[in-house]
């Protein structure tokens, strides 16, 4: 059990000791712990805040990260004073480290969730062209005059049959990284292009548990230690 709302992350490979305060409104938290910034495998633990304690929910879940591991993403944390940090960039095949909101659920079929929900159609795309005004947004237009590259959301491999939109780079900082999701894994040891993936059954379990009114967040990093 965790008896404080502060989370201390000691990073062995970066000159940073971050005291991260979880917002008081957040009562559900997904914590992804990786051994180092270069690994593509990690463990996720779900927590809920009850009274004065963070309590574990479910057994730990094995997840896949980016092919090239992790880099610091643009989320809730301000990284301005840490000039030496390796920041996530578009196309780097790294998952974002940091603290992020969970903004939207999506699926191929209608689902009953306590969360804002988008049923994906074949027209849905996520724009990864950082020069577009729709950068890092899920849209339905096929007007290629307003973007040069995108990702189809209704994929043939069904990786996005279920998924969660992670609130990364919400201000659409150019080349800051886009289209970051928690989604279904290709297989047990398949890294991603920058998302976090897991077994379909485990993802569905989490999505049925998560409640938007509890302001859930994702904390993703290296050697996360709770005090």
């Amino acid at each position: 059990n965790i008896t404080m709302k502060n989370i201390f992350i000691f990073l062995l490979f970066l000159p940073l000791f971050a005291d991260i305060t979880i917002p008081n409104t957040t009562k559900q938290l997904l914590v992804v712990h990786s051994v180092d910034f270069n690994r593509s495998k990690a463990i996720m633990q779900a927590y809920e805040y009850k009274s004065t304690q963070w309590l574990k929910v479910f057994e730990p879940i094995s997840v896949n990260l980016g092919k090239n591991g992790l880099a610091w993403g643009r989320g809730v944390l301000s990284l301005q004073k840490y000039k030496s940090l390796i920041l996530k960039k578009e196309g780097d095949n790294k998952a974002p480290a940091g603290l992020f909101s969970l903004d939207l659920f999506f699926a191929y079929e209608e689902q009953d969730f306590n969360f804002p929900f988008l049923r994906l159609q074949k027209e849905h795309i996520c724009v990864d062209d950082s020069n577009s005004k729709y950068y890092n947004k899920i849209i339905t237009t096929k007007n290629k005059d307003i973007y040069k590259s995108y990702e189809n959301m209704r994929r043939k491999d069904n990786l996005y049959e279920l998924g969660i939109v992670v609130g990364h780079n919400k201000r659409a900082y150019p080349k800051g990284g886009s289209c970051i999701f928690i989604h279904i894994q290709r297989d047990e040891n398949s890294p991603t292009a920058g998302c976090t993936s897991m077994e379909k059954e485990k993802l569905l379990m989490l999505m049925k548990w998560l409640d938007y009114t509890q302001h859930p967040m994702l904390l993703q990093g290296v050697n996360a230690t709770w005090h």
Side-chain angles (χ1 to χ4, degrees), residues 102-132:
L102 300 177
D103 295 342
L104 178 72
F105 285 2
F106 56 80
Y108 290 178
E109 304 299 332
E110 286 294 334
Q111 301 279 348
D112 184 19
F113 296 126
N114 295 317
F115 228 86
F117 176 76
L118 174 65
R119 183 181 180 184
L120 295 177
Q121 307 295 330
K122 63 180 182 179
E123 295 84 9
H124 281 112
I125 61 173
C126 188
V127 177
D128 55 17
D129 173 9
S130 64
N131 293 317
S132 170

Side-chain angles (χ1 to χ4, degrees), residues 162-192:
L162 289 171
I164 304 173
V165 175
V166 175
H168 172 261
N169 196 20
K170 293 168 78 167
R171 295 186 178 181
Y173 182 86
K175 298 184 179 180
S178 63
C179 309
I180 301 299
F181 312 126
I182 301 174
H183 64 75
I184 299 170
Q185 66 186 22
R186 189 180 304 277
D187 59 51
E188 184 179 359
N189 295 302
S190 286
T192 71

Side-chain angles (χ1 to χ4, degrees), residues 49-208:
Y49 195 71
K50 295 288 189 180
S51 184
T52 60
Q53 296 184 337
W54 281 106
L55 304 175
K56 290 182 179 180
V57 182
F58 312 124
E59 293 297 315
I61 299 171
S62 176
V63 299
N64 300 292
L65 301 176
K67 178 181 178 181
N68 294 325
L70 291 162
W72 282 100
R74 293 172 170 83
V76 174
L77 305 180
S78 174
L79 304 176
Q80 296 296 324
K81 60 182 178 180
Y82 301 111
K83 302 298 184 183
S84 62
L85 293 185
I86 299 174
L87 298 181
K88 176 167 177 53
K89 299 178 181 178
E90 188 68 42
D92 62 3
N93 287 319
K94 293 178 181 286
L99 182 64
F100 309 94
S101 60
L102 300 177
D103 295 342
L104 178 72
F105 285 2
F106 56 80
Y108 290 178
E109 304 299 332
E110 286 294 334
Q111 301 279 348
D112 184 19
F113 296 126
N114 295 317
F115 228 86
F117 176 76
L118 174 65
R119 183 181 180 184
L120 295 177
Q121 307 295 330
K122 63 180 182 179
E123 295 84 9
H124 281 112
I125 61 173
C126 188
V127 177
D128 55 17
D129 173 9
S130 64
N131 293 317
S132 170
K133 67 178 181 179
Y134 295 106
Y135 180 54
N136 199 27
K137 290 181 172 58
I138 296 175
I139 62 174
T140 57
T141 180
K142 290 292 187 179
N143 183 354
K144 293 189 176 182
D145 292 335
I146 58 177
Y147 56 82
K148 299 302 180 185
S149 61
Y150 63 90
E151 180 178 7
N152 285 309
M153 294 299 296
R154 187 107 181 181
R155 298 168 58 115
K156 294 181 179 180
D157 57 15
N158 291 331
L159 296 188
Y160 293 169
E161 184 181 352
L162 289 171
I164 304 173
V165 175
V166 175
H168 172 261
N169 196 20
K170 293 168 78 167
R171 295 186 178 181
Y173 182 86
K175 298 184 179 180
S178 63
C179 309
I180 301 299
F181 312 126
I182 301 174
H183 64 75
I184 299 170
Q185 66 186 22
R186 189 180 304 277
D187 59 51
E188 184 179 359
N189 295 302
S190 286
T192 71
C195 295
T196 299
S197 70
M198 66 181 69
E199 291 181 84
K200 177 181 177 181
E201 293 75 14
K202 299 295 178 60
L203 179 55
L204 181 59
M205 176 183 70
L206 287 178
M207 293 172 73
K208 287 185 175 296

